[in-house]
Amino acid sequence: GMHTGGLLSLGFTYFFTSSINMGFDAVFNFLPTTGSNLLFYVPLTVRGGYQFVWGKFEIPVNLGAGIAIQTCANRNYYGLILRPETGIYYRQGPDWSFGVGTVWNFIPQWYKDKNDTRYGNILEISAAVRFHF
């Protein structure tokens, strides 16, 4: 099991229209485990999405895919990650928006021995500040 952890995220999004977008993310995550270890995983993903706008509120809906670099208790794994995400942000002005976001990290670990195969499901909920340029 896992306990509450933390993350640092850096991303870039390009809008083709006022709603359709594409971008990339690099996220550094850490989570303490019930076995007194730390799980570190770094998703490097490309994502596409659509952003709904309602007045000064923005609701992005995105799907990211890429690789996740993982380490826990001196074991390393590199593999696929899928990251569907959404949130709600208040557009303060032309440059800044503030809000909350949620991302579901689906992280499969496939091994030759099927008994070792695992499927990680980690939910991120975060407060976010976005800069628009």
Side-chain angles (χ1 to χ4, degrees):
M2 300 289 168
H3 297 289
T4 300
L7 64 89
L8 177 62
S9 175
L10 181 61
F12 176 81
T13 304
Y14 179 80
F15 280 82
F16 297 102
T17 69
S18 61
S19 297
I20 298 171
N21 62 77
M22 189 167 196
F24 62 86
D25 293 298
V27 184
F28 176 81
N29 295 275
F30 66 93
L31 294 161
T33 70
T34 54
S36 300
N37 293 307
L38 276 176
L39 166 66
F40 294 97
Y41 70 102
V42 179
L44 303 170
T45 57
V46 175
R47 68 178 146 65
Y50 189 88
Q51 181 165 276
F52 299 92
V53 178
W54 183 46
K56 289 193 164 222
F57 290 94
E58 300 170 336
I59 302 167
V61 177
N62 300 312
L63 177 60
I67 63 166
I69 303 162
Q70 306 158 57
T71 185
C72 184
N74 297 322
R75 297 185 76 190
N76 298 313
Y77 188 89
Y78 306 91
L80 173 71
I81 186 167
L82 297 175
R83 292 173 46 92
E85 63 181 290
T86 191
I88 186 163
Y89 299 88
Y90 178 76
R91 187 72 171 250
Q92 163 93 31
D95 297 332
W96 295 96
S97 60
F98 306 90
V100 294
T102 186
V103 180
W104 170 45
N105 294 274
F106 175 66
I107 313 168
Q109 292 183 341
W110 293 305
Y111 294 94
K112 288 179 185 176
D113 182 350
K114 301 290 185 202
N115 293 324
D116 292 332
T117 295
R118 302 285 184 264
Y119 297 95
N121 291 282
I122 301 171
L123 182 66
E124 293 174 13
I125 300 172
S126 59
V129 175
R130 302 191 309 175
F131 179 72
H132 307 268
F133 58 91

